[in-house]
Amino acid sequence: MKQETSLPATGERADDGAAPVPFSLRWHRVRIGITVLLTLGAFALVGRRAYRLQVEETGRLRGMAEQQYLKEIELPPRRGTILDRHGAPLAVSVDVDSIYANPRMVGEQAPVVAKKLAELLELPTSTVATQLASPRFFAWIKRRVPPQVAKRVREAKLRGVFLTQESRRYYPNHGLGSTVVGFAGADARGLEGVELAYDAWLRGSRLRVAGLRDALGRRVFSEGTTEQSTGGHDVVLTLDKLIQFETERALAVAVKDVRPNTGWVAAVVMDPATGDLLAMSSMPSYDPNRYAQAKPGERRNRTVADAFEPGSTMKAFSLTSVVQAGLTREEERIHCENGRYRVGRYTIHDAHPHGILSMAEVFQKSSNIGTAKLAFRLGKQRLYDALKGFGFGERTGLDLPGERVGILRPPTRWANITLTNVAFGQGVTTTMLHLARALSALGNDGKLMRPRLVTRIRHGKGHTVREFPVEGRQILAPAVAQRMRRIMVGVTEKGGTGTDAALERYTVAGKTGTAQKVDPVTGTYSSDRWVSSFMGLVPASRPRLAIVVVINEPAGVKHYGGEVAGPVFKQIAQQALHYLGVQPDKDAAVAKKDRSKDPAKQKPTAKEAPTPEGPAEEESDSPEGAAEGPQVTVPDFTGLSLAETIRLARQSGLRLEVRGGGRATAQSPGPGPAPRQTVCRVSFRPPG
């Protein structure tokens, strides 16, 4: 009988006769296998992803992360030093302390810390409290504080308050040479003067630091540097610190006698042989350590930035051109027309009438008429070419910002009266630097030098990376320059207009200048505003210094160049020559004899007043003798209403001519004594 075995529903018979594996068991094994495979696949994916993130893309991802919380911070570089010709520092960079706080660390003590910190830093308590109330981790309290203040803060040991060091520009001589050296701002960029002109050399490369920033992008702390900083180069100037000091000391006295707000004084001292600027200054001045507190006018370098009509100082170059052309000699006699000379419909005046003078006396007494007659021999084109040869109307080549070139119009635009005016310094403008440069050519035997302010630039380690050579060109025959120096000596001798500039042991070849300024109200020459100047070469026999002094708008009774600028020149020259050890070229006995004859050293009388230098005027505008006779005192109308001005003018017995409405903003003539018949012109503008 055949035996039959029934198979389970989920199983199959094994081939080898073993008991069949149940289907459920086999399915279970399949699922386990699938699970293992899936798990291994997941691990493989995770591993692959991890490898990609950790190995293949690590650089990119790190950069992305750092962009979110790290910033590359540029720290101001350490600027190079500015030195005078002997290595004395004029501008240096020093490390100073800045105060910052972690407001979160200060916490509940913020009111107490704010009060104490405000006392130490001399800040309003509310300002400090506002900084400490910030939810951030970092807040500047005060940057670049003085050492004594930093010491007090450090000793206070206030919770959450810290100090860090930053580089700061410091000017150890304070205001000395400030209008030339200039200043740098808080970000270590030059903003004025040499600091601006040579900023690329002085600044160097910035220091880059990777650091954290707070929510507003401000630096919290830094770690490490990505590159080494390159400090700025040192700039060596031609200035001589001592001569600069003596120049500014003389100017500091003179500036007390100029009109407030509009008056200024300035001086340039140049070495004629090289064109080196030994001193250059203008006042009022400022302390570059506190440049933000200075007025714009105090930061202005007047010696290059202000152009003015030079007046009679221009005669030195006009007459030199006539001599160079062989059209006159020192002993030639010239009729000066007793003080009045017609040129077309205009009349030229000499303030003091002269008859016949030698050419040398024309220069010594500063005769406009004699100069005009000689200039006519030269003609328009040749006078223009000669003045261009002296460098007027063109840039001097000095690397200082704001240099003016002045105005020297082409001769095609000259009338005959223009020729005469230009010859004695009207209708043409120039700067003190141009005058000093042209004067130096006379002292350097006819060779015109390019003004030089920087001798070299050197690396911080001391080796020179760039030098600035001496440059010049011959514009006159040496004999002509020497002859003119002999003529110019007469200006500071008896009978000259510049006796107050004479030195006891040195000969001085000089020239005075007294130019009327254009009145901004009337558009004509003012009767009480002047640019007074003196320029000279010392010693005249072998010049070591060329000095130009300008007094803009002297306020005292005296206003002639020889009177107000001459003494300033004398003081600067005397001290500078002594400092340089220059041997005197005048015998002491002769000097004493000359001094006893010098009218400037004798008791002055009305008839012995210094020879004034009158400008060319239209005959109807300036009648002779107008300054004599009864006088009135002109009040200061500035800021008054029209009614107040009229009432005050009536009380003063003064005639008025008014323009505009509102408040008085300008007047001519200015406050002070004036002839009784003077008509005072006052301009008004609406307030606001």
Side-chain angles (χ1 to χ4, degrees):
M1 182 174 174
K2 185 179 182 180
Q3 187 177 357
E4 296 182 0
T5 302
S6 62
L7 295 174
T10 57
E12 293 181 359
R13 185 180 296 273
D15 294 339
D16 57 357
V21 178
F23 177 78
S24 58
L25 180 57
R26 286 186 291 158
W27 178 241
H28 182 71
R29 291 175 177 171
V30 170
R31 285 191 295 174
I32 290 175
I34 294 173
T35 301
V36 171
L37 290 175
L38 290 175
T39 302
L40 291 176
F43 274 113
L45 290 175
V46 171
R48 171 59 182 164
R49 183 61 178 170
Y51 177 79
R52 184 176 181 182
L53 293 177
Q54 295 296 324
V55 179
E56 294 181 350
E57 299 185 6
T58 181
R60 183 179 66 85
L61 295 176
R62 180 184 299 170
M64 293 175 61
E66 290 179 351
Q67 285 183 1
Q68 295 179 2
Y69 63 88
L70 285 177
K71 297 293 183 183
E72 193 173 69
I73 303 168
E74 285 192 349
L75 298 181
R78 190 182 185 87
R79 290 178 70 82
T81 302
I82 300 176
L83 308 116
D84 84 338
R85 65 190 299 115
H86 301 300
L90 301 175
V92 298
S93 292
V94 295
D95 290 331
V96 295
D97 290 302
S98 293
I99 314 296
Y100 72 96
N102 183 342
R104 292 202 178 191
M105 186 180 295
V106 177
E108 296 178 352
Q109 296 186 13
V112 177
V113 174
K115 182 178 180 181
K116 182 63 177 178
L117 202 55
E119 292 176 357
L120 295 174
L121 300 178
E122 298 181 352
L123 293 174
T125 304
S126 58
T127 301
V128 180
T130 302
Q131 295 291 88
L132 297 181
S134 170
R136 307 184 188 96
F137 293 92
F138 179 88
W140 284 117
I141 303 301
K142 191 171 185 179
R143 303 179 68 176
R144 299 184 176 91
V145 298
Q148 61 273 22
V149 174
K151 181 181 179 182
R152 290 200 296 266
V153 174
R154 188 178 291 108
E155 293 175 347
K157 297 181 179 178
L158 299 173
R159 180 178 178 181
V161 178
F162 306 96
L163 291 88
T164 186
Q165 287 201 322
E166 294 185 290
S167 178
R168 177 187 179 183
R169 203 61 166 162
Y170 179 64
Y171 302 90
N173 305 293
H174 298 276
L176 187 70
S178 58
T179 54
V180 181
V181 174
F183 56 89
D187 61 350
R189 288 185 177 275
L191 300 178
E192 194 61 81
V194 174
E195 293 273 28
L196 174 60
Y198 292 87
D199 185 56
W201 287 101
L202 289 165
R203 192 172 60 217
S205 65
R206 287 178 169 266
L207 181 66
R208 294 182 178 179
V209 178
L212 294 175
R213 287 185 180 275
D214 65 6
L216 296 179
R218 292 176 296 189
R219 183 179 56 181
V220 176
F221 68 87
S222 59
E223 52 180 16
T225 61
T226 58
E227 64 180 47
Q228 295 293 325
S229 66
T230 302
H233 294 76
D234 296 338
V235 175
V236 183
L237 305 183
T238 59
L239 295 183
D240 188 302
K241 182 178 175 181
L242 194 139
I243 297 178
Q244 182 77 25
F245 171 77
E246 294 296 345
T247 299
E248 296 194 1
R249 187 166 71 166
L251 294 179
V253 177
V255 77
K256 298 176 182 177
D257 295 325
V258 300
R259 287 178 181 269
N261 302 322
T262 58
W264 51 265
V265 299
V268 174
V269 182
M270 180 179 284
D271 183 343
T274 62
D276 283 0
L277 291 161
L278 304 176
M280 177 184 274
S281 180
S282 57
M283 290 190 176
S285 185
Y286 71 107
D287 183 351
N289 293 308
R290 300 182 179 84
Y291 66 87
Q293 302 173 12
K295 300 177 181 177
E298 295 171 342
R299 300 199 297 251
R300 190 178 181 90
N301 186 349
R302 306 282 185 180
T303 61
V304 299
D306 280 38
F308 54 91
E309 289 190 337
S312 293
T313 52
M314 185 61 77
K315 292 173 183 172
F317 312 110
S318 302
L319 295 185
T320 297
S321 305
V322 180
V323 174
Q324 170 81 357
L327 300 175
T328 187
R329 305 182 312 277
E330 294 97 307
E331 62 274 12
E332 180 186 0
R333 312 298 288 176
I334 300 169
H335 195 340
C336 293
E337 309 292 343
N338 295 317
R340 294 173 60 89
Y341 181 61
R342 290 192 66 85
V343 179
R345 60 190 181 92
Y346 298 94
T347 299
I348 299 173
H349 296 266
D350 281 337
H352 282 264
H354 301 291
I356 296 177
L357 299 176
S358 68
M359 177 268 180
E361 290 172 330
V362 166
F363 188 83
Q364 181 190 35
K365 299 180 182 302
S366 198
S367 168
N368 291 336
I369 295 172
T371 303
K373 286 188 171 182
L374 292 171
F376 271 121
R377 299 180 186 177
L378 199 61
K380 300 173 186 176
Q381 186 63 51
R382 285 203 288 179
L383 178 59
Y384 172 82
D385 293 340
L387 296 181
K388 291 290 284 186
F390 276 106
F392 293 107
E394 63 181 26
R395 294 198 177 279
T396 62
L398 188 70
D399 290 331
L400 272 184
E403 183 190 359
R404 299 274 297 276
V405 298
I407 299 174
L408 179 61
R409 296 185 175 85
T412 53
R413 299 174 59 185
W414 291 9
N416 287 336
I417 188 64
T418 309
L419 170 65
T420 62
N421 285 350
V422 169
F424 50 73
Q426 289 191 324
V428 58
T429 65
T430 189
T431 70
M432 294 179 65
L433 182 62
H434 284 84
L435 283 176
R437 182 192 188 195
L439 176 64
S440 292
L442 297 177
N444 192 31
D445 289 344
K447 192 171 185 179
L448 185 76
M449 306 305 296
R450 175 178 178 174
R452 191 172 69 150
L453 182 59
V454 176
T455 60
R456 65 185 182 276
I457 294 174
R458 69 185 193 189
H459 192 270
K461 296 181 180 179
H463 65 270
T464 300
V465 296
R466 182 179 176 184
E467 286 189 275
F468 295 81
V470 173
E471 300 177 20
R473 66 176 188 269
Q474 196 74 32
I475 62 171
L476 295 172
V480 172
Q482 294 163 10
R483 193 186 309 170
M484 280 306 301
R485 290 207 301 271
R486 289 195 295 271
I487 294 174
M488 292 171 68
V489 169
V491 173
T492 57
E493 293 180 339
K494 181 182 177 181
T497 57
T499 53
D500 286 346
L503 301 177
E504 293 186 0
R505 300 296 305 280
Y506 300 94
T507 54
V508 178
K511 186 68 192 81
T512 57
T514 310
Q516 289 175 290
K517 296 186 68 175
V518 175
D519 192 307
V521 178
T522 64
T524 60
Y525 285 110
S526 170
S527 60
D528 62 344
R529 294 179 186 273
W530 310 83
V531 177
S532 306
S533 58
F534 184 88
M535 65 178 192
L537 295 161
V538 284
S541 57
R542 193 173 184 181
R544 288 287 305 276
L545 300 173
I547 304 174
V548 177
V549 177
V550 168
I551 312 293
N552 180 61
E553 298 192 10
V557 177
K558 299 178 179 179
H559 66 268
Y560 293 117
E563 294 176 315
V564 296
V568 179
F569 166 89
K570 178 179 181 179
Q571 182 176 346
I572 296 172
Q574 186 73 54
Q575 297 300 326
L577 291 172
H578 178 71
Y579 162 70
L580 294 173
V582 178
Q583 290 295 320
D585 65 342
K586 186 191 290 185
D587 182 73
V590 174
K592 185 176 180 179
K593 182 179 179 181
D594 288 348
R595 188 167 65 254
S596 65
K597 293 180 178 180
D598 188 347
K601 306 301 178 187
Q602 300 172 6
K603 187 176 181 179
T605 63
K607 293 182 178 180
E608 294 174 335
T611 304
E613 307 155 2
E617 300 169 331
E618 289 194 34
E619 194 169 23
S620 59
D621 282 349
S622 182
E624 289 182 326
E628 300 178 354
Q631 294 193 336
V632 296
T633 300
V634 179
D636 184 1
F637 297 116
T638 306
L640 300 182
S641 66
L642 180 59
E644 292 170 335
T645 300
I646 294 174
R647 182 170 60 254
L648 192 56
R650 285 177 177 172
Q651 293 173 357
S652 304
L654 190 68
R655 298 166 59 190
L656 275 184
E657 180 180 314
V658 300
R659 297 180 179 180
R663 294 283 177 178
T665 57
Q667 67 182 78
S668 177
R676 181 177 295 280
Q677 299 303 320
T678 295
V679 177
C680 186
R681 300 177 175 88
V682 185
S683 293
F684 292 80
R685 288 184 178 177

